[in-house]
């Protein structure tokens, strides 16, 4: 063995550092031997390679990697919790320190992780963000993208799905192709009885994936099913492959479908023309199919008819179909998938709208769009954006709310001593703020050379409505900054 290593070093110019190398014993016979004279360490149960703890038993991978990392992250965040940082700063810590570590594991170890793990991880993160106090804003609003007036807090469950769905997109894209990456070919050939690409688009529930011996492939399929169940994608996907599909047995022995594949009929969606299941004549014209293939057409029509409720209408395609049709060779695939997943779980904003409309009357959709878009475009300063975010999401604790939580606290305003200190009173209606807002709008009128009446929508949200203002895009944020009272 050492002679072979020496020969490799002479040819490649790379020398093996024996003191940093470990010997991992795989089979039972090797474990019974003694290796006292070897110059490197012998690993019996596990070893670490590129930051991944490789265990003898597949079931131990979760504890040695994900559970241990979660514990380490918790200890670090507990130590940093006493540092004076804003909510934006703490979210950035999660983005730059926590997310990359877990994302590396998600991509390197495709194992099924239950939802309870991510609930526990979110609890650790939220405890750090809010300094071990009760969360003032639902995490779903923090996890929204900045374009949707959120703070882009990472959703670890979505990144976990995205990292594993990425592998599934490679399986689907390279299905039936003679040339593909070696790792894709190896995983697609994990079983000869089943078509892994066909399993991706099959109707749920399906227990056939349990028959696959390769644990990495089996767990990836289980993760794929977990994602589908969460969003209700239980039905058959027209993005499933036609050839080498064990659900549609004629493709395993009828050579006509190989001809179909070469002529462009690769997925079941290719059988639809203008969103309707095509006749054989239509397919013949479009793909130049011979008349001898009419029986093959009858076979595939008989197969697909019970799988699509509104046949001959093509079912509405969803994100699952998109993932099965996507080209995985582009850049930023995980980010693309994660964005698509995030778009499926829109955070409800009805309560926020109702609360503000109770204070300010009904607001138009145009007004709300402007309010939400301006949250993170108010300023380049993160502190100012955070202030606007808290105002829109009503994160500040008014005395009126505190009095409902603690009966010994008076609900009256500390400034005017008369009105109930609700948020809108503290922001706008308090008599003590009348001069403040009058001075603000007088100054704005002078700057813009146009008379502006005091308006809470302009003051709190920067929404100018129908006011005939001609402002450059880089002027608007600088004006909005001054409006909300500290």
């Amino acid at each position: 063995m050492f002679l072979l290593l020496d020969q490799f070093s002479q040819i490649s110019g790379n020398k093996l550092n024996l003191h940093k190398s470990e010997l991992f014993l795989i089979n039972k016979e090797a474990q019974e031997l003694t290796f006292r004279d070897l110059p490197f360490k012998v690993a019996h149960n596990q070893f670490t390679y590129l930051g991944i703890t490789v265990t003898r038993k597949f079931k131990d991978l979760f504890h040695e990697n994900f559970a241990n990392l979660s514990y380490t992250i918790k200890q670090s965040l507990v130590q940093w919790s006493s540092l004076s940082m804003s909510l934006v700063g703490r979210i950035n810590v999660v983005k730059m320190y926590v997310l990359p570590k877990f994302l590396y594991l998600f991509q390197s170890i495709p194992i099924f992780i239950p939802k309870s793990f991510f609930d526990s991880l979110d609890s650790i993160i939220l405890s750090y963000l809010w300094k071990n106090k009760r969360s003032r804003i639902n995490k779903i609003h923090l996890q929204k993208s900045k374009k949707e007036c959120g703070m882009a807090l990472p959703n670890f469950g979505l990144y976990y799905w995205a990292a594993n769905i990425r592998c599934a997109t490679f399986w689907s894209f390279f299905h039936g192709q003679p040339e593909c990456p070696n790792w894709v070919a190896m995983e697609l050939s994990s079983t000869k009885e089943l078509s892994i690409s066909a399993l991706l688009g099959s109707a749920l529930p399906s227990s056939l994936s349990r028959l696959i011996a390769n644990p990495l492939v089996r767990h990836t399929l289980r993760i794929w099913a977990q994602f589908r169940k969460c969003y209700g994608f239980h039905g058959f996907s027209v993005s499933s492959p036609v050839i080498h599909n064990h659900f549609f047995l004629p493709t395993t022995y009828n050579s006509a479908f190989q001809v179909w594949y070469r002529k462009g009929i690769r997925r079941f969606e290719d059988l639809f023309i203008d969103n309707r299941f095509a006749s054989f004549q239509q397919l013949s014209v479009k793909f130049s199919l011979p008349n001898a293939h009419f029986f093959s057409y009858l076979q595939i029509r008989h197969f697909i008819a019970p799988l699509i409720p509104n046949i001959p209408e093509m079912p509405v395609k969803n994100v699952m179909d998109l993932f099965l049709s996507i080209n995985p060779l582009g850049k930023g695939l995980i980010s693309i998938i994660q964005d698509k997943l995030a778009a499926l779980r829109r955070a409800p904003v009805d309560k926020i709208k109702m609360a503000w409309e109770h204070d300010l009357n009904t607001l138009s959709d145009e007004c709300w769009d402007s309010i939400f878009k301006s949250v993170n475009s108010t300023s380049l300063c993160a502190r100012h954006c955070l202030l606007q975010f808290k105002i829109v999401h009503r994160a500040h604790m008014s005395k009126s709310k505190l009095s409902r939580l603690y009966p010994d606290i008076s609900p009256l305003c500390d400034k005017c001593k008369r009105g109930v200190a609700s948020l809108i009173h503290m922001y706008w209606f308090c008599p003590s703020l009348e001069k403040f807002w009058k001075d603000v709008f007088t100054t704005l009128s002078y700057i813009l050379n146009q008379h502006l009446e005091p308006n809470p929508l302009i003051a709190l949200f920067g929404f100018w409505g129908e006011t005939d203002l001609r402002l450059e895009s880089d002027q608007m944020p600088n004006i909005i900054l001054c409006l909300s009272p500290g």
Side-chain angles (χ1 to χ4, degrees):
M1 178 179 69
F2 292 105
L3 178 61
L4 183 63
L5 292 175
D6 290 337
Q7 292 175 350
F8 171 77
S9 298
Q10 294 175 6
I11 296 173
S12 66
N14 298 319
K15 187 175 181 181
L16 186 66
N17 190 331
L18 298 178
H19 297 289
K20 293 184 178 180
S21 303
E22 295 185 31
L23 175 65
F24 187 63
L25 308 177
I26 298 178
N27 55 42
K28 187 176 181 181
E29 291 75 10
Q31 297 178 43
E32 295 175 353
L33 300 176
T34 57
F35 299 91
R36 297 177 182 176
D37 298 331
L38 295 179
F40 39 73
K41 178 183 176 182
V42 177
H44 293 279
N45 296 317
Q46 63 186 42
F47 67 95
T48 301
Y49 179 71
L50 297 179
I52 303 296
T53 301
V54 181
T55 59
R56 183 171 300 281
K57 297 181 179 180
F58 188 85
K59 65 178 182 178
D60 295 332
L61 284 173
F62 172 78
H63 180 269
E64 295 298 330
N65 291 279
F66 292 97
N68 283 351
L69 178 59
S70 179
Y71 176 79
T72 302
I73 292 296
K74 181 178 181 179
Q75 297 300 111
S76 299
L77 295 183
V78 167
Q79 293 178 357
W80 300 342
S81 61
S82 59
L83 298 177
S84 178
M85 297 177 66
S86 67
L87 180 64
V88 174
R90 290 171 183 262
I91 290 176
N92 287 335
V93 167
V94 176
K95 289 180 183 178
M96 294 183 288
Y97 174 73
V98 182
L99 177 61
K101 292 181 179 295
F102 275 103
L103 189 56
Y104 178 63
L105 291 186
F106 294 155
Q107 296 178 79
S108 304
I109 313 176
I111 61 175
F112 182 83
I113 302 177
K115 182 178 178 296
S116 58
F117 173 79
F118 294 102
D119 291 339
S120 175
L121 182 59
D122 284 344
S123 177
I124 294 172
I125 299 299
L126 292 176
S127 178
Y128 167 70
L129 294 182
W130 298 105
K131 303 179 182 180
N132 296 318
K133 298 179 182 178
R134 182 178 177 272
S135 300
R136 293 189 183 180
I137 303 174
N138 193 312
K139 69 177 180 181
I140 196 171
H141 293 297
L142 296 175
Q143 290 173 342
K144 292 187 296 187
S145 67
K146 291 191 174 182
K147 293 181 180 180
E148 299 175 318
C149 80
M151 300 301 293
L153 175 69
N155 185 321
F156 290 89
L158 295 189
Y159 275 104
Y160 163 69
W161 278 341
N164 287 277
I165 290 174
R166 171 184 172 273
C167 296
T169 62
F170 274 90
W171 296 345
S172 179
F173 181 77
F174 285 104
H175 175 82
Q177 298 190 22
E179 296 183 0
C180 67
N182 291 334
W183 70 269
V184 178
M186 181 177 62
E187 293 184 353
L188 287 176
S189 61
S190 297
T191 174
K192 295 182 179 180
E193 294 79 13
L194 302 175
S195 168
I196 293 176
S197 300
L199 283 171
L200 294 174
S202 63
L204 296 179
S206 175
S207 59
L208 294 178
S209 60
R210 299 178 184 176
L211 303 177
I212 299 176
N214 188 330
L216 300 182
V217 174
R218 186 172 66 250
H219 277 253
T220 301
L221 288 171
R222 191 179 176 190
I223 295 166
W224 172 258
Q226 182 189 43
F227 143 71
R228 292 179 60 184
K229 291 176 183 177
C230 180
Y231 293 106
F233 301 145
H234 295 273
F236 169 79
S237 172
V238 292
S239 298
S240 298
V242 172
I243 65 168
H244 306 312
N245 190 328
H246 66 276
F247 290 104
F248 182 43
L249 291 179
T251 61
T252 62
Y253 59 81
N254 189 342
S255 60
F257 293 107
Q258 296 288 345
V259 177
W260 288 29
Y261 180 86
R262 290 193 295 269
K263 289 182 177 293
I265 303 178
R266 302 186 173 186
R267 304 175 187 275
F268 286 97
E269 62 185 337
D270 296 326
L271 300 170
F272 291 81
I273 297 177
D274 295 331
N275 293 325
R276 290 183 65 85
F277 190 77
S279 65
F280 180 72
Q281 183 179 4
Q282 290 175 309
L283 294 177
S284 297
V285 173
K286 183 175 181 180
F287 298 102
S288 302
L289 301 181
N291 292 333
H293 289 183
F294 180 65
F295 180 71
S296 301
Y297 169 80
L298 295 178
Q299 287 180 312
I300 203 168
R301 187 181 68 177
H302 176 75
F303 168 77
I304 200 174
L307 297 175
I308 300 179
N310 298 322
I311 196 83
E313 298 292 333
M314 184 176 179
V316 178
K317 300 186 72 173
N318 53 44
V319 172
M320 181 186 78
D321 301 307
L322 172 64
F323 293 156
L324 294 179
S325 305
I326 196 172
N327 185 339
L329 300 179
K331 294 183 178 179
L333 180 58
I334 291 181
S335 296
I336 293 173
I337 296 174
Q338 196 273 341
D339 290 342
K340 298 296 183 183
L341 293 174
L344 293 175
R345 56 188 305 274
R346 297 288 184 184
V349 293
D350 291 342
K351 290 183 65 175
I352 297 173
K353 290 182 177 181
M354 289 177 60
W356 278 118
E357 290 181 353
H358 177 268
D359 295 333
L360 300 172
N361 297 324
T362 302
L363 305 179
S364 66
D365 292 338
E366 177 196 3
C367 179
W368 280 117
D369 289 342
S370 176
I371 289 171
F372 291 146
K373 288 179 181 178
S374 68
V375 167
N376 287 290
S377 62
T378 301
S379 169
L380 294 177
C381 176
R383 182 174 175 271
H384 293 150
C385 292
L386 178 60
L387 175 63
Q388 192 67 22
F389 174 83
K390 289 183 175 180
I391 289 176
V392 171
H393 288 84
R394 305 174 68 91
H396 296 102
M397 296 291 287
S398 65
K399 286 195 66 181
S400 174
K401 186 173 183 178
L402 287 173
S403 68
R404 294 195 295 270
L405 299 175
Y406 307 100
D408 56 329
I409 295 180
S410 171
L412 297 181
C413 175
D414 289 334
K415 293 182 178 180
C416 66
K417 307 296 183 182
R418 296 194 300 269
V420 175
S422 62
L423 282 179
I424 191 60
H425 177 90
M426 296 167 64
Y427 288 152
W428 183 257
F429 287 118
C430 180
S432 302
L433 295 175
E434 183 177 353
K435 183 179 183 304
F436 169 79
W437 286 122
K438 184 177 180 180
D439 292 343
V440 167
F441 279 86
T442 299
T443 304
L444 282 177
S445 300
Y446 174 77
I447 294 173
L448 301 174
N449 194 27
Q450 180 171 339
H451 178 69
L452 287 178
E453 290 292 337
N455 187 327
L457 294 182
I458 297 177
L460 300 179
F461 306 123
F463 178 71
W464 302 83
E466 301 301 326
T467 307
D468 186 19
L469 297 178
R470 298 292 182 262
L471 299 177
E472 299 295 334
S473 58
D474 57 345
Q475 288 180 302
M476 183 72 74
N478 296 327
I479 295 175
I480 298 174
L481 289 184
C482 315
L483 302 185
S484 300

